[in-house]
Amino acid sequence: MTDDIERMLATPLSSDETAHLTGLEGRVWRRIEERQAQRRQGQVRLAVLAFALLVGVTNGGVLGQAFKPRPSDIQVFSVSAGLSPMTSVEVGG
């Protein structure tokens, strides 16, 4: 394997192969910078999401405790057989 690499390094490149290598280093560094930027964007998104979740949970907990509904004297949807309009007519019972 090492002999193959040494042989390949010893042979001169053709003009087509040289054209492919032109600007290779710049392209490699550009791709590295793009990946680093994408990684930073992902970290920023995660931080913003965590902060939004923290604010939502905090506000929900604090405001949920502050605005508890008071018990009402009139409960419209409660089950009270004595208040049913059918009991005054004595239908079904």
Coordinates of all heavy atoms in Angstrom, one line a residue:
M1 N 0.8 -1.2 0.0 CA 0.0 0.0 0.0 C 0.9 1.3 0.0 O 0.6 2.2 -0.7 CB -0.9 0.0 1.2 CG -1.8 1.1 1.4 SD -3.3 0.8 0.5 CE -4.3 2.2 1.0
T2 N 1.9 1.3 0.8 CA 2.8 2.4 0.9 C 3.5 2.6 -0.4 O 3.7 3.7 -0.9 CB 3.8 2.3 2.0 OG1 3.1 2.0 3.2 CG2 4.6 3.5 2.2
D3 N 3.9 1.5 -1.1 CA 4.6 1.6 -2.4 C 3.7 2.2 -3.4 O 4.2 3.0 -4.3 CB 5.0 0.2 -2.8 CG 6.0 -0.4 -1.9 OD1 6.8 0.4 -1.2 OD2 6.1 -1.6 -1.8
D4 N 2.4 1.9 -3.4 CA 1.5 2.5 -4.4 C 1.4 4.0 -4.2 O 1.4 4.8 -5.1 CB 0.1 1.9 -4.2 CG 0.1 0.4 -4.7 OD1 1.0 0.0 -5.4 OD2 -0.9 -0.3 -4.3
I5 N 1.3 4.5 -2.9 CA 1.2 5.9 -2.6 C 2.5 6.6 -3.1 O 2.4 7.7 -3.7 CB 0.9 6.1 -1.1 CG1 -0.5 5.6 -0.8 CG2 1.1 7.6 -0.8 CD1 -0.8 5.7 0.7
E6 N 3.6 6.0 -2.8 CA 4.9 6.6 -3.2 C 5.0 6.7 -4.7 O 5.5 7.7 -5.3 CB 6.1 5.8 -2.6 CG 6.2 6.0 -1.1 CD 7.3 5.2 -0.5 OE1 8.0 4.5 -1.3 OE2 7.4 5.2 0.7
R7 N 4.5 5.6 -5.4 CA 4.6 5.6 -6.9 C 3.7 6.7 -7.4 O 4.0 7.4 -8.4 CB 4.2 4.3 -7.4 CG 4.2 4.1 -8.9 CD 3.8 2.8 -9.4 NE 2.5 2.3 -8.8 CZ 1.3 2.7 -9.2 NH1 1.2 3.6 -10.2 NH2 0.2 2.3 -8.7
M8 N 2.5 6.9 -6.8 CA 1.5 7.9 -7.3 C 2.1 9.3 -7.1 O 1.9 10.2 -7.9 CB 0.2 7.7 -6.6 CG -0.6 6.4 -7.0 SD -2.0 6.1 -6.1 CE -3.1 7.3 -6.7
L9 N 2.7 9.5 -6.0 CA 3.3 10.8 -5.7 C 4.5 11.1 -6.6 O 4.8 12.3 -6.9 CB 3.7 10.9 -4.2 CG 2.6 11.0 -3.2 CD1 3.2 10.9 -1.8 CD2 1.8 12.2 -3.4
A10 N 5.2 10.1 -7.0 CA 6.4 10.3 -7.9 C 6.0 10.6 -9.3 O 6.7 11.3 -10.0 CB 7.2 9.0 -7.8
T11 N 4.8 10.1 -9.8 CA 4.4 10.4 -11.2 C 3.9 11.8 -11.3 O 3.1 12.3 -10.5 CB 3.3 9.4 -11.6 OG1 2.2 9.5 -10.8 CG2 3.9 8.0 -11.6
P12 N 4.3 12.5 -12.4 CA 3.8 13.9 -12.6 C 2.3 13.9 -12.9 O 1.8 12.9 -13.6 CB 4.6 14.4 -13.7 CG 5.2 13.3 -14.4 CD 5.2 12.1 -13.4
L13 N 1.6 14.9 -12.6 CA 0.2 15.1 -12.9 C 0.0 15.6 -14.3 O 0.8 16.4 -14.8 CB -0.5 16.0 -11.9 CG -0.6 15.6 -10.5 CD1 -1.2 16.7 -9.6 CD2 -1.4 14.3 -10.3
S14 N -1.1 15.2 -15.0 CA -1.4 15.7 -16.3 C -2.1 17.0 -16.1 O -2.5 17.5 -15.0 CB -2.4 14.7 -17.0 OG -3.6 14.6 -16.4
S15 N -2.3 17.8 -17.2 CA -2.9 19.1 -17.1 C -4.4 19.0 -16.6 O -4.9 19.9 -16.0 CB -2.9 19.8 -18.5 OG -3.6 19.1 -19.4
D16 N -5.1 18.0 -17.0 CA -6.5 17.8 -16.5 C -6.5 17.6 -15.0 O -7.4 18.2 -14.3 CB -7.2 16.6 -17.2 CG -7.4 16.8 -18.7 OD1 -7.4 18.0 -19.1 OD2 -7.6 15.8 -19.4
E17 N -5.7 16.8 -14.5 CA -5.6 16.6 -13.0 C -5.2 17.9 -12.3 O -5.7 18.1 -11.2 CB -4.7 15.4 -12.7 CG -5.2 14.1 -13.2 CD -4.2 13.0 -13.1 OE1 -3.0 13.3 -13.1 OE2 -4.6 11.8 -12.9
T18 N -4.3 18.6 -12.9 CA -3.9 19.9 -12.3 C -5.0 20.9 -12.2 O -5.2 21.6 -11.3 CB -2.7 20.5 -13.1 OG1 -1.7 19.5 -13.2 CG2 -2.1 21.7 -12.4
A19 N -5.9 20.9 -13.3 CA -7.0 21.8 -13.3 C -8.0 21.4 -12.2 O -8.6 22.3 -11.6 CB -7.7 21.7 -14.7
H20 N -8.2 20.1 -11.9 CA -9.1 19.7 -10.8 C -8.6 20.1 -9.5 O -9.4 20.4 -8.6 CB -9.3 18.2 -10.9 CG -10.1 17.7 -12.0 ND1 -11.4 17.9 -12.1 CD2 -9.8 17.0 -13.1 CE1 -11.9 17.4 -13.2 NE2 -10.9 16.8 -13.9
L21 N -7.3 20.3 -9.3 CA -6.7 20.6 -8.0 C -6.6 22.1 -7.8 O -6.4 22.5 -6.7 CB -5.3 20.0 -7.9 CG -5.3 18.4 -7.8 CD1 -3.8 18.0 -7.8 CD2 -6.0 17.9 -6.7
T22 N -6.8 22.9 -8.8 CA -6.7 24.3 -8.7 C -7.9 24.8 -7.8 O -9.0 24.5 -8.0 CB -6.9 25.0 -10.1 OG1 -5.9 24.5 -10.9 CG2 -6.7 26.5 -10.0
G23 N -7.5 25.5 -6.7 CA -8.5 26.1 -5.8 C -9.1 25.1 -4.8 O -10.1 25.3 -4.2
L24 N -8.5 23.9 -4.8 CA -9.0 22.8 -3.9 C -8.9 23.3 -2.4 O -9.9 23.1 -1.7 CB -8.2 21.5 -4.1 CG -8.6 20.4 -3.2 CD1 -10.0 19.9 -3.5 CD2 -7.6 19.2 -3.3
E25 N -7.8 23.9 -2.0 CA -7.7 24.3 -0.6 C -8.8 25.3 -0.2 O -9.4 25.2 0.8 CB -6.3 24.8 -0.3 CG -6.1 25.1 1.1 CD -4.7 25.6 1.4 OE1 -3.9 25.7 0.4 OE2 -4.4 26.0 2.5
G26 N -9.0 26.3 -1.1 CA -10.0 27.3 -0.8 C -11.4 26.7 -0.7 O -12.2 27.0 0.2
R27 N -11.7 25.7 -1.6 CA -13.0 25.0 -1.5 C -13.2 24.2 -0.2 O -14.3 24.2 0.4 CB -13.2 24.1 -2.7 CG -13.4 24.9 -4.1 CD -13.8 24.0 -5.2 NE -13.0 22.8 -5.4 CZ -12.1 22.6 -6.3 NH1 -11.8 23.6 -7.2 NH2 -11.4 21.5 -6.4
V28 N -12.1 23.6 0.2 CA -12.1 22.8 1.4 C -12.4 23.7 2.6 O -13.3 23.4 3.5 CB -10.8 22.0 1.6 CG1 -10.8 21.4 3.0 CG2 -10.7 20.9 0.6
W29 N -11.7 24.8 2.7 CA -11.9 25.7 3.8 C -13.3 26.4 3.8 O -13.9 26.6 4.8 CB -10.8 26.8 3.8 CG -9.5 26.4 4.3 CD1 -8.3 26.2 3.7 CD2 -9.3 26.0 5.7 NE1 -7.4 25.7 4.5 CE2 -7.9 25.6 5.8 CE3 -10.0 25.9 6.9 CZ2 -7.3 25.1 7.0 CZ3 -9.4 25.5 8.0 CH2 -8.1 25.1 8.1
R30 N -13.8 26.6 2.6 CA -15.1 27.2 2.5 C -16.2 26.2 3.0 O -17.1 26.6 3.8 CB -15.5 27.5 1.0 CG -16.7 28.4 0.9 CD -16.8 28.9 -0.6 NE -15.5 29.0 -1.2 CZ -15.2 28.5 -2.4 NH1 -16.1 27.9 -3.1 NH2 -14.0 28.7 -2.9
R31 N -16.0 24.9 2.7 CA -16.9 23.9 3.2 C -16.8 23.7 4.7 O -17.8 23.5 5.4 CB -16.7 22.5 2.6 CG -17.2 22.5 1.1 CD -17.0 21.2 0.5 NE -17.8 20.2 1.2 CZ -17.7 18.9 1.0 NH1 -16.8 18.4 0.2 NH2 -18.4 18.0 1.6
I32 N -15.6 23.8 5.3 CA -15.4 23.8 6.7 C -16.1 24.9 7.4 O -16.8 24.8 8.4 CB -13.9 23.7 7.1 CG1 -13.3 22.4 6.6 CG2 -13.7 24.0 8.5 CD1 -11.8 22.3 6.7
E33 N -16.0 26.1 6.8 CA -16.6 27.3 7.4 C -18.2 27.2 7.3 O -18.9 27.6 8.3 CB -16.2 28.6 6.7 CG -14.7 28.9 7.0 CD -14.2 30.0 6.1 OE1 -14.9 30.5 5.2 OE2 -13.0 30.4 6.3
E34 N -18.7 26.6 6.2 CA -20.1 26.5 6.1 C -20.7 25.5 7.2 O -21.7 25.7 7.8 CB -20.5 25.9 4.7 CG -20.3 27.0 3.6 CD -20.5 26.4 2.2 OE1 -20.8 25.1 2.1 OE2 -20.4 27.1 1.3
R35 N -19.9 24.4 7.4 CA -20.4 23.4 8.4 C -20.3 24.0 9.8 O -21.2 23.8 10.7 CB -19.5 22.2 8.3 CG -19.9 21.4 7.1 CD -19.4 20.0 7.2 NE -19.8 19.3 6.0 CZ -19.4 18.0 5.8 NH1 -18.7 17.4 6.6 NH2 -19.8 17.5 4.6
Q36 N -19.3 24.8 10.1 CA -19.2 25.5 11.4 C -20.3 26.5 11.6 O -20.9 26.6 12.7 CB -17.9 26.2 11.6 CG -16.7 25.2 11.7 CD -15.4 26.0 11.8 OE1 -15.2 27.1 11.4 NE2 -14.3 25.3 12.3
A37 N -20.7 27.2 10.5 CA -21.8 28.1 10.6 C -23.1 27.4 10.8 O -24.0 27.8 11.6 CB -21.9 29.0 9.3
Q38 N -23.3 26.3 10.2 CA -24.5 25.5 10.4 C -24.6 24.9 11.8 O -25.7 24.9 12.4 CB -24.6 24.3 9.4 CG -24.9 24.7 8.0 CD -24.8 23.5 7.0 OE1 -24.3 22.4 7.4 NE2 -25.2 23.7 5.8
R39 N -23.5 24.5 12.4 CA -23.4 24.0 13.7 C -23.8 25.1 14.7 O -24.5 24.9 15.7 CB -22.1 23.5 14.0 CG -22.0 22.7 15.4 CD -20.7 22.1 15.7 NE -20.3 21.2 14.6 CZ -19.1 21.2 14.0 NH1 -18.2 22.0 14.4 NH2 -18.8 20.3 13.1
R40 N -23.3 26.3 14.5 CA -23.6 27.5 15.3 C -25.1 27.8 15.2 O -25.7 28.1 16.3 CB -22.7 28.7 14.9 CG -21.4 28.7 15.7 CD -20.7 30.0 15.4 NE -19.5 29.7 14.6 CZ -19.3 30.1 13.4 NH1 -20.1 31.0 12.8 NH2 -18.2 29.7 12.7
Q41 N -25.6 27.8 14.0 CA -27.1 28.0 13.9 C -27.9 27.0 14.7 O -28.9 27.4 15.3 CB -27.5 28.0 12.4 CG -27.3 29.2 11.7 CD -27.9 29.1 10.2 OE1 -28.0 28.0 9.7 NE2 -28.2 30.2 9.7
G42 N -27.5 25.8 14.6 CA -28.2 24.8 15.4 C -28.1 25.0 16.9 O -29.1 24.9 17.6
Q43 N -27.0 25.4 17.4 CA -26.8 25.7 18.8 C -27.7 27.0 19.2 O -28.3 27.0 20.3 CB -25.4 26.0 19.1 CG -24.5 24.7 19.0 CD -23.0 25.0 19.2 OE1 -22.6 26.1 19.1 NE2 -22.3 23.9 19.3
V44 N -27.7 28.0 18.3 CA -28.5 29.2 18.6 C -30.0 28.8 18.6 O -30.7 29.3 19.5 CB -28.2 30.3 17.6 CG1 -29.2 31.4 17.7 CG2 -26.8 30.8 17.8
R45 N -30.4 28.0 17.7 CA -31.8 27.6 17.7 C -32.2 26.8 18.9 O -33.3 27.0 19.5 CB -32.1 26.7 16.4 CG -32.1 27.5 15.2 CD -32.4 26.6 14.0 NE -32.4 27.3 12.8 CZ -32.2 26.8 11.6 NH1 -32.1 25.5 11.4 NH2 -32.2 27.6 10.5
L46 N -31.3 25.9 19.4 CA -31.6 25.2 20.6 C -31.7 26.1 21.8 O -32.5 25.9 22.6 CB -30.5 24.1 20.8 CG -30.7 23.2 22.0 CD1 -31.9 22.4 21.8 CD2 -29.4 22.3 22.1
A47 N -30.8 27.1 21.9 CA -30.8 28.0 23.0 C -32.1 28.8 23.0 O -32.7 29.0 24.0 CB -29.6 28.9 22.9
V48 N -32.5 29.3 21.8 CA -33.7 30.1 21.7 C -34.9 29.2 22.1 O -35.8 29.7 22.8 CB -33.9 30.7 20.3 CG1 -35.3 31.2 20.1 CG2 -32.9 31.7 20.1
L49 N -35.0 28.0 21.7 CA -36.1 27.1 22.0 C -36.1 26.8 23.5 O -37.2 26.9 24.1 CB -35.9 25.8 21.2 CG -37.0 24.7 21.5 CD1 -38.3 25.2 20.9 CD2 -36.6 23.4 20.8
A50 N -35.0 26.6 24.1 CA -34.9 26.4 25.6 C -35.4 27.6 26.3 O -36.1 27.5 27.3 CB -33.5 26.0 26.0
F51 N -35.0 28.8 25.9 CA -35.4 30.0 26.6 C -36.9 30.2 26.4 O -37.6 30.6 27.4 CB -34.6 31.2 26.0 CG -35.0 32.5 26.6 CD1 -34.5 32.8 27.9 CD2 -35.7 33.5 26.0 CE1 -34.8 34.0 28.5 CE2 -36.0 34.7 26.6 CZ -35.6 34.9 27.9
A52 N -37.4 30.0 25.2 CA -38.9 30.1 25.0 C -39.6 29.1 25.9 O -40.7 29.5 26.5 CB -39.2 29.9 23.6
L53 N -39.2 27.9 26.0 CA -39.8 26.9 26.9 C -39.8 27.4 28.3 O -40.8 27.3 29.1 CB -39.1 25.6 26.7 CG -39.7 24.4 27.5 CD1 -41.1 24.1 27.1 CD2 -38.9 23.2 27.4
L54 N -38.6 27.9 28.8 CA -38.5 28.4 30.1 C -39.4 29.5 30.4 O -40.1 29.5 31.5 CB -37.0 28.8 30.4 CG -36.8 29.4 31.8 CD1 -36.9 28.3 32.8 CD2 -35.4 30.0 31.8
V55 N -39.5 30.5 29.5 CA -40.4 31.6 29.7 C -41.9 31.1 29.7 O -42.7 31.6 30.6 CB -40.2 32.7 28.6 CG1 -41.3 33.7 28.6 CG2 -38.9 33.3 28.8
G56 N -42.2 30.2 28.8 CA -43.6 29.7 28.8 C -44.0 29.0 30.0 O -45.1 29.2 30.6
V57 N -43.1 28.1 30.5 CA -43.4 27.4 31.7 C -43.5 28.3 33.0 O -44.4 28.2 33.8 CB -42.4 26.3 32.0 CG1 -42.5 25.7 33.4 CG2 -42.5 25.2 30.9
T58 N -42.6 29.3 33.0 CA -42.6 30.2 34.1 C -43.9 31.0 34.1 O -44.6 31.2 35.2 CB -41.4 31.1 34.1 OG1 -40.2 30.3 34.1 CG2 -41.3 32.1 35.2
N59 N -44.2 31.6 33.0 CA -45.4 32.4 32.9 C -46.7 31.6 33.2 O -47.6 32.0 33.8 CB -45.6 33.1 31.5 CG -44.7 34.3 31.4 OD1 -44.2 34.8 32.4 ND2 -44.4 34.7 30.2
G60 N -46.7 30.3 32.6 CA -47.9 29.5 32.9 C -48.0 29.1 34.3 O -49.1 29.1 34.9
G61 N -46.9 28.9 35.0 CA -47.0 28.6 36.4 C -47.4 29.8 37.3 O -48.2 29.7 38.2
V62 N -46.8 30.9 37.0 CA -47.0 32.1 37.8 C -48.4 32.6 37.6 O -49.2 32.9 38.5 CB -46.0 33.2 37.6 CG1 -46.4 34.5 38.2 CG2 -44.6 32.7 38.1
L63 N -48.8 32.8 36.3 CA -50.1 33.3 36.0 C -51.2 32.3 36.2 O -52.3 32.7 36.5 CB -50.1 33.8 34.5 CG -49.1 34.9 34.2 CD1 -49.2 35.3 32.7 CD2 -49.5 36.2 35.0
G64 N -50.9 31.0 36.1 CA -51.9 30.0 36.4 C -52.3 30.1 37.9 O -53.5 29.8 38.2
Q65 N -51.4 30.3 38.8 CA -51.7 30.4 40.2 C -52.3 31.8 40.5 O -53.1 31.8 41.5 CB -50.4 30.3 41.0 CG -49.7 28.9 40.9 CD -50.6 27.8 41.4 OE1 -51.3 28.0 42.4 NE2 -50.6 26.7 40.7
A66 N -52.0 32.8 39.8 CA -52.5 34.1 40.1 C -54.0 34.3 39.7 O -54.7 35.0 40.4 CB -51.7 35.2 39.4
F67 N -54.4 33.6 38.7 CA -55.8 33.8 38.2 C -56.6 32.6 38.4 O -57.2 32.1 37.4 CB -55.7 34.2 36.7 CG -55.1 35.5 36.4 CD1 -53.9 35.6 35.8 CD2 -55.7 36.7 36.9 CE1 -53.3 36.9 35.5 CE2 -55.2 37.9 36.6 CZ -54.0 38.0 36.0
K68 N -56.7 32.0 39.6 CA -57.5 30.9 39.8 C -59.0 31.4 39.9 O -59.3 32.4 40.5 CB -57.2 30.3 41.2 CG -56.0 29.4 41.1 CD -55.8 28.6 42.4 CE -54.7 27.7 42.3 NZ -54.5 26.9 43.5
P69 N -59.9 30.7 39.3 CA -61.3 31.1 39.3 C -61.9 31.0 40.7 O -61.6 30.0 41.4 CB -62.0 30.2 38.3 CG -61.1 29.0 38.2 CD -59.7 29.5 38.5
R70 N -62.7 31.9 41.1 CA -63.4 31.9 42.4 C -64.6 30.9 42.3 O -65.2 30.8 41.2 CB -63.8 33.2 42.8 CG -62.7 34.2 43.2 CD -63.2 35.5 43.5 NE -63.6 36.2 42.2 CZ -64.5 37.1 42.1 NH1 -65.2 37.5 43.1 NH2 -64.8 37.6 40.9
P71 N -64.9 30.2 43.3 CA -66.1 29.4 43.3 C -67.3 30.2 43.1 O -67.5 31.3 43.7 CB -66.1 28.7 44.6 CG -65.1 29.3 45.5 CD -64.2 30.1 44.6
S72 N -68.2 29.8 42.2 CA -69.4 30.5 41.9 C -70.6 29.9 42.7 O -70.7 28.7 42.9 CB -69.7 30.5 40.4 OG -70.9 31.1 40.1
D73 N -71.6 30.8 43.0 CA -72.8 30.3 43.6 C -73.7 29.6 42.6 O -74.4 28.7 42.9 CB -73.6 31.5 44.2 CG -72.8 32.1 45.4 OD1 -72.0 31.4 46.0 OD2 -73.1 33.3 45.6
I74 N -73.6 30.0 41.4 CA -74.4 29.4 40.3 C -73.5 28.6 39.4 O -72.6 29.1 38.8 CB -75.1 30.5 39.5 CG1 -76.0 31.4 40.3 CG2 -75.9 29.8 38.3 CD1 -76.5 32.5 39.6
Q75 N -73.7 27.3 39.4 CA -72.9 26.4 38.6 C -73.9 25.9 37.5 O -74.7 25.0 37.8 CB -72.3 25.3 39.4 CG -71.3 25.8 40.4 CD -70.7 24.7 41.2 OE1 -71.0 23.6 41.1 NE2 -69.7 25.1 42.0
V76 N -73.8 26.4 36.3 CA -74.7 26.1 35.3 C -74.7 24.6 34.8 O -75.7 24.0 34.6 CB -74.4 27.0 34.0 CG1 -75.4 26.7 32.9 CG2 -74.5 28.5 34.4
F77 N -73.5 24.1 34.8 CA -73.4 22.7 34.2 C -73.2 21.7 35.3 O -72.7 20.6 35.1 CB -72.2 22.7 33.3 CG -72.4 23.5 32.1 CD1 -71.6 24.7 31.9 CD2 -73.3 23.2 31.1 CE1 -71.8 25.5 30.8 CE2 -73.5 24.0 30.0 CZ -72.7 25.2 29.8
S78 N -73.6 22.0 36.5 CA -73.5 21.0 37.6 C -74.7 20.0 37.5 O -75.8 20.3 37.0 CB -73.5 21.6 39.0 OG -74.7 22.3 39.2
V79 N -74.5 18.8 38.1 CA -75.6 17.8 38.2 C -76.3 18.0 39.5 O -75.8 17.7 40.5 CB -75.0 16.4 38.0 CG1 -76.1 15.4 38.1 CG2 -74.2 16.3 36.8
S80 N -77.6 18.5 39.4 CA -78.4 18.7 40.6 C -79.8 18.2 40.2 O -80.5 18.9 39.4 CB -78.5 20.1 41.1 OG -77.2 20.5 41.5
A81 N -80.2 17.0 40.7 CA -81.5 16.5 40.3 C -82.6 17.3 40.8 O -83.7 17.4 40.2 CB -81.6 15.1 40.9
G82 N -82.4 18.0 41.9 CA -83.5 18.8 42.5 C -83.8 20.0 41.7 O -84.9 20.6 41.7
L83 N -82.9 20.5 40.9 CA -83.1 21.7 40.1 C -83.6 21.4 38.6 O -83.8 22.3 37.8 CB -81.8 22.5 40.0 CG -81.3 23.0 41.4 CD1 -80.0 23.7 41.2 CD2 -82.3 24.0 42.0
S84 N -83.7 20.2 38.3 CA -84.1 19.8 37.0 C -85.5 20.2 36.7 O -86.4 20.1 37.6 CB -84.0 18.3 36.8 OG -84.5 17.9 35.6
P85 N -85.8 20.7 35.5 CA -87.2 21.1 35.2 C -88.2 19.9 35.1 O -89.4 20.1 35.3 CB -87.1 21.8 33.9 CG -85.8 21.5 33.3 CD -84.9 21.1 34.4
M86 N -87.6 18.7 35.0 CA -88.5 17.6 34.9 C -89.0 17.1 36.2 O -90.0 16.4 36.3 CB -87.7 16.4 34.2 CG -87.2 16.7 32.8 SD -88.6 17.2 31.8 CE -88.5 16.0 30.6
T87 N -88.3 17.5 37.3 CA -88.8 17.1 38.6 C -90.1 17.9 39.0 O -90.9 17.3 39.8 CB -87.7 17.3 39.7 OG1 -87.4 18.7 39.7 CG2 -86.6 16.4 39.5
S88 N -90.2 19.1 38.6 CA -91.4 19.9 38.9 C -92.6 19.3 38.2 O -93.8 19.4 38.7 CB -91.3 21.3 38.6 OG -91.1 21.5 37.2
V89 N -92.5 18.7 37.1 CA -93.6 18.1 36.4 C -93.7 16.6 36.8 O -94.8 16.0 36.5 CB -93.3 18.2 34.8 CG1 -94.5 17.8 34.0 CG2 -92.9 19.6 34.4
E90 N -92.8 16.1 37.5 CA -92.7 14.7 37.9 C -92.8 13.8 36.7 O -93.6 12.8 36.8 CB -93.8 14.5 39.0 CG -93.5 15.2 40.2 CD -94.5 14.9 41.3 OE1 -95.2 13.8 41.2 OE2 -94.6 15.6 42.3
V91 N -92.0 14.0 35.7 CA -92.0 13.1 34.6 C -90.9 12.1 34.8 O -89.8 12.4 35.2 CB -91.7 13.9 33.3 CG1 -91.6 13.0 32.1 CG2 -92.8 14.9 33.1
G92 N -91.2 10.9 34.6 CA -90.2 9.8 34.7 C -89.8 9.5 36.2 O -88.8 8.9 36.4
G93 N -90.5 9.9 37.1 CA -90.0 9.6 38.4 C -91.0 9.6 39.4 O -91.4 9.3 40.4

